[in-house]
Short mmCIF file of all heavy atoms in Angstrom, two decimals:
data_model
loop_
_atom_site.label_atom_id
_atom_site.label_comp_id
_atom_site.label_asym_id
_atom_site.label_seq_id
_atom_site.Cartn_x
_atom_site.Cartn_y
_atom_site.Cartn_z
N ALA A 8 -58.89 -167.58 56.37
CA ALA A 8 -57.65 -167.35 55.64
C ALA A 8 -56.70 -166.54 56.52
O ALA A 8 -57.08 -165.47 57.00
CB ALA A 8 -57.92 -166.62 54.34
N PRO A 9 -55.49 -167.02 56.77
CA PRO A 9 -54.54 -166.27 57.59
C PRO A 9 -54.18 -164.94 56.94
O PRO A 9 -54.21 -164.79 55.71
CB PRO A 9 -53.31 -167.20 57.66
CG PRO A 9 -53.84 -168.56 57.31
CD PRO A 9 -54.94 -168.31 56.33
N GLY A 10 -53.83 -163.96 57.76
CA GLY A 10 -53.47 -162.64 57.26
C GLY A 10 -52.26 -162.67 56.35
O GLY A 10 -51.28 -163.35 56.63
N GLY A 11 -52.32 -161.92 55.26
CA GLY A 11 -51.19 -161.82 54.34
C GLY A 11 -51.01 -163.00 53.43
O GLY A 11 -49.99 -163.10 52.75
N MET A 12 -51.98 -163.93 53.41
CA MET A 12 -51.85 -165.14 52.59
C MET A 12 -52.92 -165.18 51.51
O MET A 12 -53.98 -164.55 51.63
CB MET A 12 -51.95 -166.39 53.46
CG MET A 12 -50.72 -166.66 54.31
SD MET A 12 -50.79 -168.28 55.10
CE MET A 12 -49.05 -168.53 55.48
N VAL A 13 -52.64 -165.93 50.46
CA VAL A 13 -53.61 -166.19 49.40
C VAL A 13 -53.81 -167.69 49.27
O VAL A 13 -52.92 -168.48 49.60
CB VAL A 13 -53.15 -165.60 48.05
CG1 VAL A 13 -53.05 -164.09 48.11
CG2 VAL A 13 -51.81 -166.19 47.63
N ALA A 14 -54.99 -168.06 48.83
CA ALA A 14 -55.32 -169.48 48.68
C ALA A 14 -54.78 -170.01 47.36
O ALA A 14 -54.97 -169.39 46.30
CB ALA A 14 -56.83 -169.67 48.76
N ILE A 15 -54.10 -171.13 47.42
CA ILE A 15 -53.55 -171.79 46.23
C ILE A 15 -54.34 -173.08 46.03
O ILE A 15 -54.22 -174.02 46.83
CB ILE A 15 -52.05 -172.11 46.37
CG1 ILE A 15 -51.27 -170.87 46.83
CG2 ILE A 15 -51.50 -172.67 45.07
CD1 ILE A 15 -51.30 -169.73 45.86
N GLU A 16 -55.14 -173.14 44.98
CA GLU A 16 -55.92 -174.34 44.72
C GLU A 16 -55.02 -175.43 44.14
O GLU A 16 -54.31 -175.22 43.16
CB GLU A 16 -57.06 -174.04 43.75
CG GLU A 16 -57.96 -175.24 43.49
CD GLU A 16 -59.13 -174.92 42.60
OE1 GLU A 16 -59.48 -173.72 42.47
OE2 GLU A 16 -59.72 -175.86 42.02
N GLY A 17 -55.03 -176.59 44.76
CA GLY A 17 -54.14 -177.67 44.36
C GLY A 17 -54.52 -178.29 43.03
O GLY A 17 -55.59 -178.03 42.47
N GLY A 18 -53.64 -179.14 42.53
CA GLY A 18 -53.88 -179.81 41.26
C GLY A 18 -52.63 -180.50 40.75
O GLY A 18 -51.64 -180.68 41.48
N THR A 19 -52.65 -180.86 39.49
CA THR A 19 -51.55 -181.57 38.85
C THR A 19 -50.70 -180.60 38.03
O THR A 19 -51.22 -179.66 37.43
CB THR A 19 -52.11 -182.67 37.93
OG1 THR A 19 -52.87 -183.58 38.70
CG2 THR A 19 -50.99 -183.44 37.24
N PHE A 20 -49.40 -180.83 38.04
CA PHE A 20 -48.50 -180.01 37.23
C PHE A 20 -47.24 -180.79 36.91
O PHE A 20 -46.99 -181.85 37.48
CB PHE A 20 -48.16 -178.70 37.93
CG PHE A 20 -47.08 -178.81 38.98
CD1 PHE A 20 -45.87 -178.17 38.80
CD2 PHE A 20 -47.27 -179.55 40.15
CE1 PHE A 20 -44.86 -178.26 39.76
CE2 PHE A 20 -46.29 -179.64 41.10
CZ PHE A 20 -45.07 -178.99 40.91
N THR A 21 -46.45 -180.26 36.00
CA THR A 21 -45.17 -180.86 35.65
C THR A 21 -44.08 -180.22 36.49
O THR A 21 -43.75 -179.04 36.30
CB THR A 21 -44.85 -180.69 34.15
OG1 THR A 21 -45.89 -181.29 33.39
CG2 THR A 21 -43.52 -181.35 33.81
N MET A 22 -43.54 -180.99 37.43
CA MET A 22 -42.47 -180.50 38.29
C MET A 22 -41.13 -180.80 37.63
O MET A 22 -40.87 -181.93 37.21
CB MET A 22 -42.54 -181.17 39.66
CG MET A 22 -41.51 -180.69 40.65
SD MET A 22 -41.72 -181.52 42.25
CE MET A 22 -40.40 -180.74 43.19
N GLY A 23 -40.30 -179.79 37.53
CA GLY A 23 -39.00 -179.98 36.89
C GLY A 23 -38.87 -179.12 35.65
O GLY A 23 -39.82 -178.47 35.19
N GLN A 24 -37.70 -179.15 35.07
CA GLN A 24 -37.37 -178.26 33.95
C GLN A 24 -37.53 -178.97 32.62
O GLN A 24 -37.11 -180.11 32.45
CB GLN A 24 -35.93 -177.77 34.10
CG GLN A 24 -35.53 -176.75 33.06
CD GLN A 24 -34.05 -176.41 33.15
OE1 GLN A 24 -33.29 -177.19 33.70
NE2 GLN A 24 -33.67 -175.28 32.61
N VAL A 25 -38.16 -178.29 31.68
CA VAL A 25 -38.27 -178.83 30.32
C VAL A 25 -37.57 -177.92 29.32
O VAL A 25 -37.58 -178.17 28.13
CB VAL A 25 -39.75 -179.01 29.91
CG1 VAL A 25 -40.41 -180.09 30.74
CG2 VAL A 25 -40.50 -177.71 30.03
N GLN A 26 -36.95 -176.85 29.81
CA GLN A 26 -36.12 -176.01 28.94
C GLN A 26 -34.74 -176.67 28.83
O GLN A 26 -34.47 -177.71 29.42
CB GLN A 26 -35.99 -174.61 29.55
CG GLN A 26 -37.32 -173.96 29.91
CD GLN A 26 -38.14 -173.58 28.70
OE1 GLN A 26 -37.60 -173.34 27.63
NE2 GLN A 26 -39.45 -173.54 28.86
N ASP A 27 -33.87 -176.06 28.06
CA ASP A 27 -32.52 -176.62 27.89
C ASP A 27 -31.77 -176.59 29.22
O ASP A 27 -31.72 -175.56 29.90
CB ASP A 27 -31.74 -175.81 26.85
CG ASP A 27 -32.32 -175.94 25.46
OD1 ASP A 27 -32.97 -176.96 25.22
OD2 ASP A 27 -32.13 -175.04 24.64
N ASP A 28 -31.16 -177.71 29.58
CA ASP A 28 -30.38 -177.81 30.82
C ASP A 28 -28.93 -177.43 30.52
O ASP A 28 -28.06 -178.29 30.38
CB ASP A 28 -30.48 -179.23 31.38
CG ASP A 28 -29.89 -179.34 32.78
OD1 ASP A 28 -29.47 -178.31 33.32
OD2 ASP A 28 -29.84 -180.45 33.32
N VAL A 29 -28.67 -176.14 30.42
CA VAL A 29 -27.35 -175.68 30.01
C VAL A 29 -26.29 -175.95 31.07
O VAL A 29 -25.09 -175.98 30.76
CB VAL A 29 -27.38 -174.17 29.67
CG1 VAL A 29 -28.31 -173.90 28.50
CG2 VAL A 29 -27.80 -173.36 30.89
N MET A 30 -26.69 -176.15 32.33
CA MET A 30 -25.74 -176.43 33.39
C MET A 30 -25.44 -177.93 33.50
O MET A 30 -24.51 -178.33 34.19
CB MET A 30 -26.28 -175.93 34.73
CG MET A 30 -26.60 -174.45 34.78
SD MET A 30 -25.12 -173.41 34.67
CE MET A 30 -24.43 -173.66 36.30
N PHE A 31 -26.25 -178.76 32.84
CA PHE A 31 -26.09 -180.22 32.87
C PHE A 31 -26.04 -180.75 34.30
O PHE A 31 -25.25 -181.63 34.63
CB PHE A 31 -24.82 -180.63 32.11
CG PHE A 31 -24.90 -180.33 30.64
CD1 PHE A 31 -24.29 -179.21 30.11
CD2 PHE A 31 -25.62 -181.16 29.78
CE1 PHE A 31 -24.38 -178.92 28.75
CE2 PHE A 31 -25.72 -180.87 28.43
CZ PHE A 31 -25.09 -179.76 27.91
N ASP A 32 -26.91 -180.20 35.15
CA ASP A 32 -26.99 -180.70 36.52
C ASP A 32 -27.81 -181.98 36.61
O ASP A 32 -27.62 -182.79 37.52
CB ASP A 32 -27.64 -179.64 37.43
CG ASP A 32 -26.71 -178.47 37.71
OD1 ASP A 32 -25.49 -178.70 37.69
OD2 ASP A 32 -27.20 -177.37 37.96
N TRP A 33 -28.76 -182.14 35.71
CA TRP A 33 -29.64 -183.32 35.70
C TRP A 33 -30.35 -183.51 37.04
O TRP A 33 -30.54 -184.63 37.51
CB TRP A 33 -28.87 -184.59 35.32
CG TRP A 33 -28.29 -184.55 33.95
CD1 TRP A 33 -26.97 -184.38 33.62
CD2 TRP A 33 -29.00 -184.63 32.72
NE1 TRP A 33 -26.81 -184.34 32.26
CE2 TRP A 33 -28.05 -184.51 31.67
CE3 TRP A 33 -30.35 -184.78 32.38
CZ2 TRP A 33 -28.41 -184.55 30.33
CZ3 TRP A 33 -30.70 -184.83 31.03
CH2 TRP A 33 -29.74 -184.71 30.04
N ASN A 34 -30.70 -182.41 37.68
CA ASN A 34 -31.42 -182.50 38.96
C ASN A 34 -32.83 -181.93 38.86
O ASN A 34 -33.48 -181.73 39.88
CB ASN A 34 -30.63 -181.79 40.06
CG ASN A 34 -30.54 -180.29 39.84
OD1 ASN A 34 -30.84 -179.79 38.76
ND2 ASN A 34 -30.12 -179.57 40.87
N THR A 35 -33.27 -181.64 37.63
CA THR A 35 -34.62 -181.09 37.45
C THR A 35 -35.38 -181.89 36.39
O THR A 35 -36.06 -181.32 35.54
CB THR A 35 -34.56 -179.61 37.04
OG1 THR A 35 -33.77 -179.47 35.86
CG2 THR A 35 -33.97 -178.76 38.15
N THR A 36 -35.25 -183.19 36.43
CA THR A 36 -35.93 -184.05 35.47
C THR A 36 -37.45 -183.89 35.61
O THR A 36 -37.97 -183.95 36.72
CB THR A 36 -35.56 -185.52 35.69
OG1 THR A 36 -34.14 -185.64 35.66
CG2 THR A 36 -36.17 -186.42 34.63
N PRO A 37 -38.18 -183.67 34.52
CA PRO A 37 -39.64 -183.44 34.63
C PRO A 37 -40.37 -184.63 35.25
O PRO A 37 -40.11 -185.79 34.90
CB PRO A 37 -40.06 -183.23 33.17
CG PRO A 37 -38.82 -182.85 32.45
CD PRO A 37 -37.70 -183.56 33.14
N GLN A 38 -41.27 -184.34 36.17
CA GLN A 38 -42.10 -185.35 36.83
C GLN A 38 -43.51 -184.79 36.95
O GLN A 38 -43.70 -183.61 37.26
CB GLN A 38 -41.57 -185.67 38.23
CG GLN A 38 -40.09 -186.00 38.31
CD GLN A 38 -39.79 -187.43 37.91
OE1 GLN A 38 -40.71 -188.18 37.59
NE2 GLN A 38 -38.54 -187.81 37.95
N THR A 39 -44.51 -185.64 36.76
CA THR A 39 -45.90 -185.22 36.97
C THR A 39 -46.23 -185.40 38.45
O THR A 39 -46.09 -186.49 39.00
CB THR A 39 -46.86 -186.05 36.11
OG1 THR A 39 -46.53 -185.86 34.73
CG2 THR A 39 -48.30 -185.58 36.33
N MET A 40 -46.65 -184.31 39.09
CA MET A 40 -46.93 -184.32 40.53
C MET A 40 -48.31 -183.75 40.81
O MET A 40 -48.83 -182.94 40.04
CB MET A 40 -45.89 -183.48 41.28
CG MET A 40 -44.53 -184.12 41.40
SD MET A 40 -44.52 -185.46 42.58
CE MET A 40 -42.80 -185.98 42.43
N HIS A 41 -48.86 -184.16 41.95
CA HIS A 41 -50.12 -183.57 42.43
C HIS A 41 -49.85 -182.88 43.76
O HIS A 41 -49.18 -183.44 44.64
CB HIS A 41 -51.20 -184.64 42.62
CG HIS A 41 -52.51 -184.06 43.06
ND1 HIS A 41 -53.47 -183.64 42.18
CD2 HIS A 41 -53.00 -183.79 44.31
CE1 HIS A 41 -54.50 -183.15 42.84
NE2 HIS A 41 -54.25 -183.23 44.14
N VAL A 42 -50.38 -181.68 43.91
CA VAL A 42 -50.21 -180.89 45.13
C VAL A 42 -51.57 -180.54 45.69
O VAL A 42 -52.48 -180.16 44.95
CB VAL A 42 -49.41 -179.59 44.82
CG1 VAL A 42 -49.37 -178.69 46.04
CG2 VAL A 42 -48.01 -179.93 44.37
N ARG A 43 -51.73 -180.65 47.01
CA ARG A 43 -52.98 -180.29 47.66
C ARG A 43 -53.08 -178.77 47.83
O ARG A 43 -52.09 -178.06 47.77
CB ARG A 43 -53.10 -180.98 49.03
CG ARG A 43 -53.18 -182.48 48.97
CD ARG A 43 -53.75 -183.07 50.24
NE ARG A 43 -55.17 -182.82 50.36
CZ ARG A 43 -55.72 -182.01 51.26
NH1 ARG A 43 -54.95 -181.36 52.13
NH2 ARG A 43 -57.03 -181.83 51.31
N SER A 44 -54.29 -178.31 48.09
CA SER A 44 -54.52 -176.87 48.27
C SER A 44 -53.87 -176.38 49.57
O SER A 44 -53.80 -177.12 50.56
CB SER A 44 -56.01 -176.57 48.30
OG SER A 44 -56.63 -176.96 47.09
N PHE A 45 -53.42 -175.13 49.57
CA PHE A 45 -52.77 -174.56 50.74
C PHE A 45 -52.82 -173.04 50.65
O PHE A 45 -53.13 -172.47 49.60
CB PHE A 45 -51.32 -175.04 50.86
CG PHE A 45 -50.46 -174.73 49.65
CD1 PHE A 45 -49.64 -173.60 49.64
CD2 PHE A 45 -50.46 -175.56 48.55
CE1 PHE A 45 -48.85 -173.32 48.54
CE2 PHE A 45 -49.68 -175.28 47.43
CZ PHE A 45 -48.87 -174.16 47.43
N TYR A 46 -52.53 -172.41 51.76
CA TYR A 46 -52.37 -170.95 51.80
C TYR A 46 -50.89 -170.62 51.73
O TYR A 46 -50.05 -171.32 52.30
CB TYR A 46 -52.94 -170.36 53.09
CG TYR A 46 -54.45 -170.42 53.20
CD1 TYR A 46 -55.06 -171.22 54.16
CD2 TYR A 46 -55.27 -169.66 52.36
CE1 TYR A 46 -56.44 -171.28 54.28
CE2 TYR A 46 -56.64 -169.71 52.46
CZ TYR A 46 -57.23 -170.52 53.42
OH TYR A 46 -58.59 -170.57 53.52
N MET A 47 -50.56 -169.51 51.06
CA MET A 47 -49.16 -169.10 50.94
C MET A 47 -49.06 -167.59 51.10
O MET A 47 -49.94 -166.83 50.66
CB MET A 47 -48.60 -169.51 49.57
CG MET A 47 -47.10 -169.39 49.45
SD MET A 47 -46.52 -170.03 47.85
CE MET A 47 -44.86 -170.56 48.29
#
């Protein structure tokens, strides 16, 4: 493990916003994504 980093175990999550889009940008549409494990 590199110094100053923590391990992030990958998995599935909902990418994007599901709260009210008060700015009406329509650039955070919810998508189901999978991410691999990494250090951060």
